[in-house]
Amino acid sequence: EQANRANALSTTSEQVRVRMTAEEIEARVNNLQTPFVKQADALFRKNLTVQRKKYCTNCCLLLVPLFFILIVLMLQLLIEILFLGQKEVRCPYCGPPDAYADRYCQGKNCTDFFFPEGERAALIAKFGEDPIPLCNELAGTCPGDGDDSCFLLRFARDTQYAFCPLPMGIAQPGLFYNTPPEWRSETPVIYAGENAFAEEVAGRMFDDEETRKKLQGAA
């Protein structure tokens, strides 16, 4: 009996010791946990220290995209000035003086820009008429703002015509059944509503009397 009591006491003491040990470990773990703000601050400081040592790489990452963007903008500006801004690659425009005309004609009068006075004789010889008065007249009638009616397509030169707004083409006719050649008549047959002629044609096409009567009845 005494031995049983001793065993029970030893078991209870071991359980208490284990429970207390687990509680102590949990308390220590709770004390060791760091708040999220402190963790984020420590991570930020660590990354900042690492990036300070790579300042050359970071500068390249920032400056190289800006450098290429600057090159593209310069190329676009050069192409606009040297190529697309020339009248040889622009359709003759005779709109009223507005924002579009100022931009399209590079701040000049559109008539003077596309049909200068010094080329008047050459233009008359090429097109057979004087485009300057027609352009001035169109500037007072068309709505402007880049409307298609403000462009003089008939006075466009070879290099200008490709940049003109072409009007909509005519509508194509619908597709119909075309009779094969072996079933076509050598001479066209025109039916004008005469029963005698229709009966004659039907008689040539159908030999039996019943079919002819049906056709006559339908007529």
Side-chain angles (χ1 to χ4, degrees):
E1 185 178 356
Q2 291 180 356
N4 292 334
R5 287 182 179 179
N7 291 333
L9 290 173
S10 62
T11 302
T12 304
S13 61
E14 289 178 359
Q15 291 178 354
V16 172
R17 185 169 62 251
V18 171
R19 185 173 64 251
M20 292 178 62
T21 304
E23 291 176 354
E24 290 177 356
I25 293 173
E26 185 177 358
R28 290 182 179 182
V29 170
N30 292 333
N31 292 331
L32 291 175
Q33 287 182 354
T34 306
F36 174 77
V37 177
K38 290 185 178 181
Q39 292 181 6
D41 181 66
L43 185 62
F44 174 76
R45 291 176 181 274
K46 185 195 75 170
N47 292 334
L48 184 61
T49 303
V50 173
Q51 295 302 327
R52 282 180 179 176
K53 298 178 182 179
K54 300 180 180 180
Y55 60 90
C56 293
T57 304
N58 293 329
C59 290
C60 291
L61 290 175
L62 292 175
L63 296 179
V64 168
L66 296 177
F67 175 73
F68 281 105
I69 290 174
L70 183 62
I71 289 179
V72 171
L73 292 177
M74 291 179 63
L75 288 176
Q76 182 179 359
L77 183 62
L78 289 175
I79 293 173
E80 179 69 24
I81 294 175
L82 299 178
F83 179 68
L84 296 179
Q86 303 298 322
K87 66 179 181 180
E88 286 78 10
V89 292
R90 292 196 173 187
C91 186
Y93 180 76
C94 298
D98 52 13
Y100 180 86
D102 185 69
R103 183 175 65 255
Y104 191 81
C105 302
Q106 296 185 354
K108 302 178 182 178
N109 182 274
C110 289
T111 304
D112 298 334
F113 180 74
F114 288 103
F115 310 111
E117 190 67 29
E119 301 178 4
R120 190 167 193 168
L123 292 171
I124 295 174
K126 180 177 179 61
F127 297 106
E129 55 182 331
D130 191 359
I132 295 178
L134 295 176
C135 189
N136 291 329
E137 181 182 357
L138 184 60
T141 56
C142 75
D145 198 21
D147 190 80
D148 292 349
S149 61
C150 297
F151 291 92
L152 278 178
L153 276 70
R154 56 178 173 166
F155 293 108
R157 303 172 189 179
D158 297 335
T159 58
Q160 295 175 330
Y161 198 78
F163 299 90
C164 291
L166 299 179
M168 184 68 66
I170 60 174
Q172 298 296 326
L175 298 178
F176 299 97
Y177 175 74
N178 193 6
T179 308
E182 59 269 17
W183 298 104
R184 297 177 189 172
S185 175
E186 295 181 359
T187 57
V189 178
I190 301 176
Y191 176 62
E194 298 178 0
N195 293 331
F197 180 74
E199 291 176 2
E200 181 182 358
V201 173
R204 295 179 181 179
M205 294 176 61
F206 304 99
D207 296 333
D208 56 310
E209 187 69 20
E210 183 179 356
T211 304
R212 288 200 298 270
K213 288 181 179 181
K214 288 182 179 180
L215 292 174
Q216 292 174 358

